């Protein structure tokens, strides 16, 4: 039992640094979010429980939880929450915060995929689906990647045949014309956000 | 009845449910003249549909009988049914009220013998049974209806059926030419006892009311439990008429929910606790099972005793959870999905029947109140700007019957104060 | 039918040879019949999608979408910004609402946009193609161009998540939206009762959590078979892709025999309106919709 | 009153004339019933029928009217003949609609109708029209005991309606707990912030109101009399005493907070552990600034422990919930947050109970950062310079602890209800309590207590119906409550007090027989001073004089007749309801002989629930035996044993008593009547044995108003049972 139990310290930290974090205190622990999440059976903590843990000051347990990484962005929780909490956004915000602090679970597949996705789109302004897919398969190394890739060969081949996958994308693919402008916007936005949330860029 | 029947020392009470009847009778028993108007063909309101009251498990119609007897014995209350207030002009102490009286097609001399109903075959949904049964289009609203007079449903007016009903009436009580009437009254004060309506359960989409036949409202469940109801008191589920033995009660169905009703409707926890006892009563062998899914059990003050008794009932279990969703299995059984938040326990539980403890929405939301009436964010009446009109009972706040009657009694005195002050001012002027 | 111009935001997946290329193909065919001119927003960028949160954070996500707004305002003034992709629509609408609600976020966003000499003035109206169809054209008028009703084909209308929650199509319910069924019927098909209409397919987590997502997908496909649907119809590229391409995986792992085509509503309407199989993007199916191809031929 | 002239009117409408021979009824009314006038009409409740009766009253001098047609519950507005004794023979709901169809039932149906006409005629002749006893209890002032928020609100409510009010307050100032409260829970939109109590303004209005007088440092030394004529001795601290004449009393004696010293495990009695009242004192001292502990240190963290010593099922503490505490703790948590948002405030609750718009107040507190934790506190201990609260976090499902500078225990309200008159004198618990009203009543000094020490009413539909007429409990003495509810309650209580004085001045009964002008007459020369009436009266209406004769206080009386039922020598009666009005009905029958196979079953049915239930059985066409004859009684408590013995002696084969539910959840409108009847009937076996009759010949049932089908079933089963044991051998001896 730490001294900070049920003190507002962590709640205030979440309010200051996490997207929609100021809404956490409004939860009344009804649990409708917990029962509405399609990936509910898989996570450690339900959103409502995460919110209670924040209020109880359990910083480490919250930020290292896998719960936020199970969000499929289905928005069921938001649609049903009787307090109209933007639960999806809070969970995304917590994930982002935990990730930026380096406290999110290491090797969490969605965390890795999400990072890759952003980097992929940020590079050329548009998503390169092939690189994203391959990048994802090869995230654990060449061997695992080949295995994964082979396992999913049928999927890729099907898409290729249906003209919905372009092997040539590996050499570039779609992109934004004003790439430097796009990059400047992202960089500036990141800079403002980090300043606002007190995070080191 | 429709002449100049009121003066500015008269009170108008809008709504003939328990709050309106109470306000009218309490004022009349203080010697005041009262006009009591009711939109429906009978007095009695919501509580007349209930089987039992918590926490005594006594019968609402018992109180209704006493109030009707008070009414029959008191010449100071004039009752106008099928009547709505369409306008209130004037000011505190001197209102001019316009009433619209819908045609009943049956006159005061009806003896309630039932010959008209016998003579016709058209049926309509039985409003008293919340549509769980049908009734003839010439009908007595229910066994305790007051005035004890039949009503002809407008749907048969102009048909041969209506003529048959008319012909069957030996006392000539049916008047098919009856038309809507507009009446004006002078009154000194108005009490709005317009009550509540169940929140539209179909709007609580994850629970599938309207899509799943075995998801019903707490009000419908009252009718199932009532031996005078459509199933003779048997808890038969709507889809297949099978006895429902494993019943889920879902609290806060609409209440405490910013997507629906912001407020807590106060009565629903107690209503569900009460209804678990109907289940016990229906299955004396103990085979009935009730599960209450709740956020907080609001068994306030002495009601805590009742809660403790129900907790001790082996047939009742409690799960602290707002149910996330209901799906229907292939046999028409509702399956409840959610998480028990005390600790963390995911469930997918099959029940025979689901009862939604639907919240109270002010009926005033569906009528046009005078502009000077101030309501809260849910539509409950707070007061009137000129201090001459008052909300009473569930029109003013989501209240149980006991508190609604207190509220109505208080409203009666406030209205009397207005009349006495007006009289005092006039006599000194 | 009055001519309508829209600022069209195709999104990454609808691009040529991308995973939802056939959505765009069919949408073009459909819009042509409805006299809707799709003016692509010049040099648009990715919306960030929902999974962009983890690395992207809040403001960068808002800013890149605001870039699209700024471009639309600049180049296609006065035109509604319309997406076909559910995720694009959700991300843009969310951005639009959040910026409208918060002067601070608006100011910060414009500070970021200024880095590329762009400005967002808050004028954009964000809409989904389905909204254009049912609100601007209307169910009745949508029937007019039908020349080849898809008679006798049963479809499971799979709405999924992101066109449905948290915003949804106006007037529809979260749990039982009906617009897709109505579009199916307009195309002459039969909409079967379908209890997985709004179940999540796993979304982007189909990549990172394949087993969990495939459990969702299995449920979605299986439940379409139950009432006898021949095909699934959806408004969402990710739903389409997840629903279609993983069937073979699931068959392999779980010994099922799924072979259920998954189509876009735009494909149904395009075929009903007389488009060829290619114009309707039917050649873009991994699981071919033979009965539709026969009608289109 | 002019000489009695009786008239019988027989209606043949609603199909009565088709199934029942009206000619026979006319003959019975004239010959056996000895009605001076007998008329028949095919639509008696129609305008012409009613006019015919009116004309007879006006022109023929008819004073007593017997209407044979529908039930007394039907068409009451048509058959409204003021100052005329009226009775009904219930041929429609009681005969036509319940006796099985078919020619084979014609004879017994006719016999049933015949008997009801005989009975109605017999009753009518014994009835007098009660004139009431007006102007004997004319005082219309209203005494309010207690000058707290409830009492002040009640006094003002009465005064604003034009009635004089007198407040007796035991302390030196008005205001009670409300005056020691910094702010109150909001009672209006937007339900977001604590609001001013308004108590100072209330006190100003009281002090300046021309119709209100106030006695401070004063208590009630004795209360004598009855509604409309109470005499109240007011004792002041200085020793001076004087008497106030009042017409009705509102008891607003409030509550005492549950003693936190009884909660040592939760830190009760330890430094920096306070109850709600203690926190209010700190908040008043801080006046919007930082709240400080007794040691002067600013409170930086506070924990509220809900349900402290409440909702307790161990028997050690209060078993009930006090209702207001969740909102009160929310309000007090806001005191801290509003003064300094950095103060940590934790509310540990089991169920958060904020009904109605209280939900918005809860939301508002959450928005301010008040932390709500579902849990159960197990211990509060000193820790460093502060305290530590150990609790079970029910959501996180683990034992937890939180440290705090200050702990607030949300303890409950204990009613200041005076002495429990139902406890034996020697009970030590009682000795510590001081009477509030000091009623000089035969049945004790204070209002009877319903449960948990509260003076509440037991009636859901009639929350002001306590067991002492003209005395109304109001505010937290009746039930735990907050200021909002206490305010409503006080205004309602004021109305009831006004109604009581108005009723008393006209000699009218109060609820549930409101308007009844009959009153109990007692023939003292026959009285044996057995005291049953004084003991058994559910309303404490009857005192005893020095010679131990009963003294009836008419305006306290609710006209139930329980005294009449109790009286072994039958000296108590009402003008229109007495031993004779019912007894003559029982004895007037044309009793078939023992071998007729036509049993006669007497039903004595409570008019409040059982008789309507029978009526509605008819309305729903539930068929029951034509061998029963039902007589409505005011309450089963009014059933005098002589009716039972008379009936048995007259050859009735069985007697069914149908009354309301008794016991803890009694539904008897006169509280004890049904219970008394059950008790009395439990001793009927001796009588039956003396007569050589089987025990089954008298049965008692609890019947609810909804028991329509069940009534029919009970009757049919009982008739079968009586047929099985055989008809009474007593026929022909009566």
């Amino acid at each position: 039992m730490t001294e900070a139990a049920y003190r507002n310290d962590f709640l205030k930290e979440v309010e200051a640094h996490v997207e929609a974090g100021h809404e956490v205190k409004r939860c009344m622990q009804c649990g409708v979010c917990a029962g509405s999440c399609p990936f509910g059976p898989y996570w450690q903590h339900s959103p409502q429980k995460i919110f209670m843990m924040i209020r109880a000051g359990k910083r480490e347990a919250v930020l290292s939880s896998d719960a936020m990484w199970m969000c499929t962005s289905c928005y069921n929780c938001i649609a049903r929450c009787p307090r109209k909490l933007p639960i999806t956004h809070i969970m995304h915000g917590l994930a982002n915060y935990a990730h930026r602090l380096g406290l999110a679970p290491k090797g969490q597949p969605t965390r890795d995929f999400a990072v890759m996705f952003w980097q992929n789109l940020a590079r050329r302004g548009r998503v390169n689906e092939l690189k994203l897919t391959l990048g994802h398969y090869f995230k654990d190394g060449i061997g695992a990647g080949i295995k994964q890739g082979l396992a999913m060969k049928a999927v890729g081949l099907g898409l290729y045949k249906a003209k919905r996958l372009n092997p040539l994308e590996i050499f570039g693919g779609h992109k934004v014309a004003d790439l430097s402008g796009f990059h400047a916007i992202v960089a500036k936005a990141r800079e403002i956000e980090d300043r606002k949330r007190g995070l080191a860029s | 009845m429709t002449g100049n029947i009121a003066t500015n020392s008269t009170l108008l009470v809008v709504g003939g449910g328990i709050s309106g009847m109470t306000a009218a009778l309490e004022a009349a028993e203080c010697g005041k003249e009262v006009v009591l108007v009711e939109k429906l063909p009978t007095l009695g309101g919501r509580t007349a549909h209930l089987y039992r009251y918590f926490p005594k498990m006594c019968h609402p119609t018992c109180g209704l009988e006493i109030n009707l007897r008070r009414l029959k014995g008191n010449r100071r209350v004039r009752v106008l049914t099928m009547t709505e207030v369409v306008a209130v002009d004037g000011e505190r102490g001197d209102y001019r009220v316009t009433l619209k009286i819908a045609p009943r097609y049956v006159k005061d001399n009806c003896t309630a013998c039932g010959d008209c109903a016998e003579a016709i075959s058209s049926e309509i949904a039985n409003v008293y049974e919340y549509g769980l049964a049908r009734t003839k289009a010439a009908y007595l609203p229910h066994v305790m209806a007051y005035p004890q007079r039949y009503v002809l449903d407008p749907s048969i007016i102009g048909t041969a059926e209506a003529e048959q009903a008319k012909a069957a009436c030996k006392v000539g009580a049916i008047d098919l030419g009856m038309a809507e009437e507009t009446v004006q009254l002078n009154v000194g004060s108005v009490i709005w006892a317009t009550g509540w309506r169940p929140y539209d359960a179909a709007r609580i989409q994850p629970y599938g009311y309207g899509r799943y036949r075995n998801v019903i409202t707490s009000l419908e469940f009252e009718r199932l439990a009532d031996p005078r109801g459509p199933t003779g008191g048997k808890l038969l589920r709507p889809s297949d008429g099978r006895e429902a033995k494993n019943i889920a009660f879902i609290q806060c169905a609409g209440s405490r929910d910013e997507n629906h009703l912001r407020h807590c409707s106060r009565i629903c926890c107690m209503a569900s606790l009460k209804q678990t006892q109907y289940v016990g009563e229906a299955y004396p062998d103990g085979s009935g099972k009730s599960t209450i899914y709740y956020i907080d059990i609001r068994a306030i003050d002495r009601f805590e005793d009742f809660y403790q008794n129900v907790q001790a009932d082996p047939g009742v279990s409690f799960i602290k959870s707002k149910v996330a969703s209901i799906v229907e299995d292939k046999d028409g059984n509702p399956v409840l999905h959610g998480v028990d938040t005390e600790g963390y326990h995911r469930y997918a539980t099959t029940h025979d029947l689901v009862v939604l403890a639907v919240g109270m929405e002010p009926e005033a939301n569906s009528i046009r109140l005078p502009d000077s009436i101030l309501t809260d964010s849910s539509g409950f009446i707070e007061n009137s700007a000129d201090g001459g009109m008052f909300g009473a009972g569930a029109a003013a706040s989501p209240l149980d019957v006991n508190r609604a009657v207190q509220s109505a009694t208080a409203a009666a005195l406030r209205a009397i104060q207005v009349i006495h002050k007006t009289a005092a001012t006039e006599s000194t002027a | 039918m009055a001519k309508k111009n829209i600022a069209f935001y195709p999104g990454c997946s609808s691009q040529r040879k991308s995973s939802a290329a056939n959505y765009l193909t069919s949408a073009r065919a459909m819009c042509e019949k409805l006299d809707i001119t799709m003016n692509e927003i010049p040099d648009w960028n990715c919306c960030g999608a929902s999974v962009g949160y983890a690395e992207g954070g809040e403001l960068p996500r808002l800013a890149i979408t605001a870039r699209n707004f700024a471009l639309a305002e600049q180049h296609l003034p006065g035109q509604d910004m319309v997406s076909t992709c559910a995720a694009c629509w959700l991300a843009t609408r969310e951005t639009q609402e959040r910026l409208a609600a918060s002067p601070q976020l608006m100011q910060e966003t414009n500070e970021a946009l200024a880095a590329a000499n762009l400005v967002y003035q808050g004028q954009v109206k964000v809409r989904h193609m389905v909204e254009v169809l049912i609100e601007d054209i209307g169910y009745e008028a949508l029937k007019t161009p039908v020349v080849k009703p898809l008679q006798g084909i049963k479809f499971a209308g799979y709405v999924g998540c992101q066109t449905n929650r948290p915003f949804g199509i106006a007037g529809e319910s979260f749990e039982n939206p009906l617009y897709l069924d109505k579009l199916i019927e307009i195309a002459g098909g039969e909409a079967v009762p379908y209890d997985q209409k709004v179940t999540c397919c796993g979304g982007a987590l189909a990549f990172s959590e394949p087993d969990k997502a495939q459990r969702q997908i299995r449920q979605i496909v299986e439940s379409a078979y139950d009432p006898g649907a021949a095909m699934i119809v959806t408004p969402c590229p990710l739903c389409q892709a997840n629903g279609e391409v993983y069937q073979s995986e699931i068959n392999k792992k779980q010994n099922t025999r799924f072979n259920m085509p998954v189509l876009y509503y735009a494909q149904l309407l395009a075929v009903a309106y007389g488009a060829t199989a290619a114009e309707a993007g039917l050649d873009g199916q991994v699981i071919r919709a033979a009965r539709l191809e026969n009608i289109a031929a | 009153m002019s000489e009695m002239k009786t008239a019988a009117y027989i209606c043949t409408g609603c199909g009565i004339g088709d199934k029942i021979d009206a000619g026979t009824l006319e003959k019975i009314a004239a010959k056996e019933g000895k009605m001076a006038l007998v008329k028949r009409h095919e639509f008696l409740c129609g305008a012409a029928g009613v006019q015919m009766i009116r004309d007879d009253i006006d022109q023929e001098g008819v004073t007593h009217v017997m209407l044979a047609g529908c039930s007394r519950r039907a068409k009451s507005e048509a058959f409204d003949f003021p100052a005329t004794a009226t009775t009904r023979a219930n041929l429609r709901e009681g005969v036509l609609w319940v006796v099985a169809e078919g020619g084979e039932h014609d004879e017994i149906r006719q016999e049933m109708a015949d008997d009801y006409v005989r009975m109605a005629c017999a009753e009518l002749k014994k009835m007098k029209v009660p004139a009431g006893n007006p102007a004997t209890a004319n005082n219309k002032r209203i005494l309010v005991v207690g000058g707290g928020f409830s009492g002040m609100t009640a006094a003002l409510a009465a005064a604003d309606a034009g009635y004089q009010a007198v407040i007796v307050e035991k302390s030196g100032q008005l205001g009670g707990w409300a005056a020691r409260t910094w702010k109150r829970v909001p009672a209006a939109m937007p339900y977001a912030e604590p609001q001013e109590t308004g108590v100072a303004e209330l006190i100003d209005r009281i002090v300046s109101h021309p119709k209100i007088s106030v006695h401070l440092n004063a208590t009630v030394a004795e209360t004598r009399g009855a509604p409309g004529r109470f005499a109240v001795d007011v004792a002041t601290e200085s020793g001076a005493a004087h008497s106030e004449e009042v017409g009705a009393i509102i008891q607003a004696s409030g509550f005492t907070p549950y003693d936190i010293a009884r909660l040592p495990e939760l830190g009760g009695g330890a430094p920096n552990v306070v109850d709600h009242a203690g926190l209010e004192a700190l908040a008043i001292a801080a006046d919007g600034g930082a709240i400080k502990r007794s040691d002067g240190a600013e409170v930086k963290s506070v924990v509220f422990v809900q349900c402290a010593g409440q909702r307790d099922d161990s028997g050690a503490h209060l078993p009930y919930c006090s209702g207001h505490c969740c909102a009160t703790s929310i309000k007090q948590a806001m005191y801290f947050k509003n003064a300094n948002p950095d103060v940590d405030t934790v509310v540990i609750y089991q169920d958060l109970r904020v009904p109605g718009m209280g939900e918005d107040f809860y939301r508002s507190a959450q928005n301010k950062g008040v932390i709500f934790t579902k849990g159960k506190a197990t211990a509060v201990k000193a820790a460093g310079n502060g305290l530590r609260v150990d609790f079970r976090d029910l959501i996180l499902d683990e034992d937890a602890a939180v440290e705090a500078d200050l702990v607030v225990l949300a303890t409950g309200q204990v009613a200041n209800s005076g002495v429990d008159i139902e406890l034996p004198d020697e009970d030590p618990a009682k000795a510590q309590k001081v009477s509030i009203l000091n009623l000089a009543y035969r049945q004790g000094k204070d209002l009877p207590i319903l449960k948990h020490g509260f003076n509440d009413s037991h009636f859901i539909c009639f929350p002001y119906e306590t067991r002492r007429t003209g005395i109304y409990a109001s505010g937290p003495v009746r039930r735990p409550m907050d200021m909002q509810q206490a305010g409503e309650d006080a205004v309602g209580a004021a109305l009831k007090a006004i109604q009581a004085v108005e009723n008393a001045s006209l000699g009218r009964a109060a609820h549930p027989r409101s308007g009844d002008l009959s009153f109990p007459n007692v023939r003292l020369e026959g009285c044996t001073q057995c005291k049953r009436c004084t003991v058994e009266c559910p309303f404490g209406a009857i005192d005893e004089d020095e010679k131990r004769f009963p003294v009836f206080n008419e305006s306290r009386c609710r006209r139930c007749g329980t005294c009449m039922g109790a009286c072994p020598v039958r000296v108590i009666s009402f003008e229109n309801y007495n031993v004779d009005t019912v007894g003559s009905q029982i004895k007037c029958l044309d009793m078939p002989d023992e071998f007729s196979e036509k049993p006669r079953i007497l039903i004595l049915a409570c008019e409040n629930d059982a008789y309507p239930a029978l009526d509605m059985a008819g309305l729903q066409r539930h068929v029951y035996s034509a061998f029963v004859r039902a007589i409505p009684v005011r309450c089963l408590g009014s059933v005098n044993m002589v009716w039972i013995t008379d009936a048995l002696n007259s050859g009735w084969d069985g007697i069914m008593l149908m009354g309301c539910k008794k016991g803890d959840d009694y539904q008897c409108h006169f509280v004890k009547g049904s219970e008394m009847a059950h008790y009395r009937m439990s001793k009927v076996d001796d009588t039956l044995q003396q007569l050589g009759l089987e025990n089954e010949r008298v049965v008692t049932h609890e019947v609810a108003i909804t028991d329509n089908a069940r009534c029919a079933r009970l009757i049919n089963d009982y008739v079968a049972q009586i047929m099985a044991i055989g008809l009474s051998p007593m026929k022909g001896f009566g």
Side-chain angles (χ1 to χ4, degrees), chain B residues 201-330:
Chain B
R203 293 173 64 183
I204 314 163
Q205 300 159 16
Y207 297 161
Y209 178 85
R211 278 184 285 141
Y212 308 141
R213 292 193 65 197
N214 295 326
V215 177
I216 65 170
T217 69
S218 44
L219 290 109
E220 290 163 349
F221 192 67
E222 289 290 323
R223 300 312 309 141
L224 290 191
D226 192 337
R228 293 196 295 215
T231 56
K234 288 199 160 70
L235 305 180
L236 307 180
R237 63 183 203 165
S239 72
D240 51 12
R242 200 158 62 75
E243 277 191 323
K245 293 204 163 177
N246 179 2
I247 300 176
F249 295 89
I250 298 185
Q251 301 312 112
C252 301
S255 304
R256 300 183 67 184
D257 191 331
E258 293 171 31
N259 303 300
H260 304 288
L261 304 170
R262 288 185 69 78
H263 60 271
C264 159
S265 298
R266 188 194 269 267
I267 62 163
C268 337
C269 283
M270 286 304 298
S272 291
L273 291 174
K274 171 190 73 174
Q275 291 182 341
T276 65
Q277 302 306 290
Y278 297 171
V279 181
E281 183 187 345
Y283 306 108
D285 62 352
S287 62
K289 237 183 82 187
S290 300
T291 309
I292 292 190
Y293 296 87
Y294 71 98
I295 305 173
D296 294 286
I297 293 288
R298 294 186 164 171
I300 289 166
D301 66 48
R302 272 208 285 124
F303 294 159
E304 180 70 20
D305 296 353
F306 195 85
Y307 178 32
Q308 286 175 6
N309 289 342
V310 176
Q311 280 179 302
D313 181 339
V316 185
S317 45
F318 291 84
I319 295 176
K320 184 186 151 23
S321 169
K322 183 172 176 72
V323 173
S325 64
I326 299 176
V327 295
E328 198 174 49
D329 74 10
K330 295 197 164 49

Side-chain angles (χ1 to χ4, degrees), chain B residues 26 56 65 69 72 75 110-111 228 258 262 297-299 301 304-305 342 402 406 417 420, chain D residues 73 75 80 92 157 161 321 351-353 360 363 374 452 456 479 489 496 499 608 666 708:
Chain B
E26 296 298 346
K56 273 176 67 179
E65 172 74 14
R69 214 173 60 204
K72 290 171 190 173
R75 276 178 227 130
C110 168
T111 64
R228 293 196 295 215
E258 293 171 31
R262 288 185 69 78
I297 293 288
R298 294 186 164 171
D301 66 48
E304 180 70 20
D305 296 353
E342 283 197 1
N402 200 253
Q406 280 182 289
Q417 287 170 351
H420 282 187
Chain D
R73 294 174 65 254
K75 285 288 166 192
D80 177 19
R92 189 176 75 158
C321 155
D351 290 281
L352 206 81
R353 293 179 169 174
D360 270 348
R363 289 185 182 101
K374 183 173 167 99
H452 305 321
D456 204 359
R479 188 196 299 168
D489 191 21
K496 294 304 291 191
Q499 203 178 64
N608 297 305
Y666 60 81
N708 311 148

Side-chain angles (χ1 to χ4, degrees), chain B residues 9-241:
Chain B
S9 60
T10 302
L11 300 184
L12 173 67
V13 179
V14 187
I18 185 146
S19 295
M21 289 179 80
T22 297
L25 285 164
E26 296 298 346
E29 289 176 9
C30 287
K32 302 299 151 210
E33 296 292 328
V34 182
V35 175
L36 174 62
V37 303
E38 164 58 47
K39 181 169 68 173
L40 297 177
T42 173
L43 299 183
R46 285 282 158 215
T47 61
H49 301 246
L50 302 178
Y51 171 40
R52 292 180 188 271
Y53 279 148
F54 58 79
K56 273 176 67 179
M57 303 305 282
C58 54
H59 300 281
T61 41
C62 163
L64 179 59
E65 172 74 14
I66 296 293
N67 279 331
L68 289 177
R69 214 173 60 204
R70 290 167 81 186
L71 196 66
K72 290 171 190 173
N74 196 315
R75 276 178 227 130
R76 295 185 186 277
V77 186
R78 294 161 219 231
V79 176
L80 296 170
T81 49
M82 304 189 77
T83 302
E84 288 180 76
V85 174
V86 290
V88 179
D89 303 308
E91 57 185 11
R92 172 192 163 97
D94 186 19
Y95 293 109
R96 187 144 190 89
V97 181
T98 310
L99 305 176
K100 186 180 78 185
I101 306 175
R104 176 191 277 265
Y105 305 106
V106 175
K107 296 186 289 186
D108 292 1
N109 59 356
C110 168
T111 64
C113 71
D115 286 350
C116 54
E118 284 284 307
I120 68 165
S121 55
S122 296
E123 289 193 339
I124 55 168
N126 187 333
V127 177
Y128 176 72
E129 303 292 1
Y130 289 108
L132 296 171
R134 297 184 67 75
T135 185
K136 290 284 181 66
Y139 63 101
L140 191 63
H142 56 85
V143 280
M144 288 194 63
Y146 181 88
Q148 197 186 40
R149 276 151 49 194
Y150 273 64
V151 191
L152 258 56
D153 190 73
S155 65
I156 62 161
I157 300 305
T159 70
E161 289 263 283
E163 296 298 337
Q164 284 164 23
K166 181 178 162 69
C169 182
K170 294 189 187 76
V171 299
I174 293 179
D175 175 4
L176 298 175
M178 215 178 255
E180 183 181 295
E181 256 185 283
T182 300
V183 177
Q184 291 210 321
L185 298 179
N186 266 338
V187 299
S189 180
V190 184
I191 292 172
W192 294 87
T194 40
W196 63 284
R197 55 163 57 196
Y199 183 72
D200 178 6
R203 293 173 64 183
I204 314 163
Q205 300 159 16
Y207 297 161
Y209 178 85
R211 278 184 285 141
Y212 308 141
R213 292 193 65 197
N214 295 326
V215 177
I216 65 170
T217 69
S218 44
L219 290 109
E220 290 163 349
F221 192 67
E222 289 290 323
R223 300 312 309 141
L224 290 191
D226 192 337
R228 293 196 295 215
T231 56
K234 288 199 160 70
L235 305 180
L236 307 180
R237 63 183 203 165
S239 72
D240 51 12

Side-chain angles (χ1 to χ4, degrees), chain C residues 4-9 28 37-42 76 79:
Chain C
K4 185 161 180 69
N5 270 290
I6 58 172
F8 183 61
Y9 176 43
R28 286 199 191 285
T37 306
M38 301 160 81
N39 307 301
E40 186 168 322
I41 298 170
L76 300 164
Q79 294 183 18

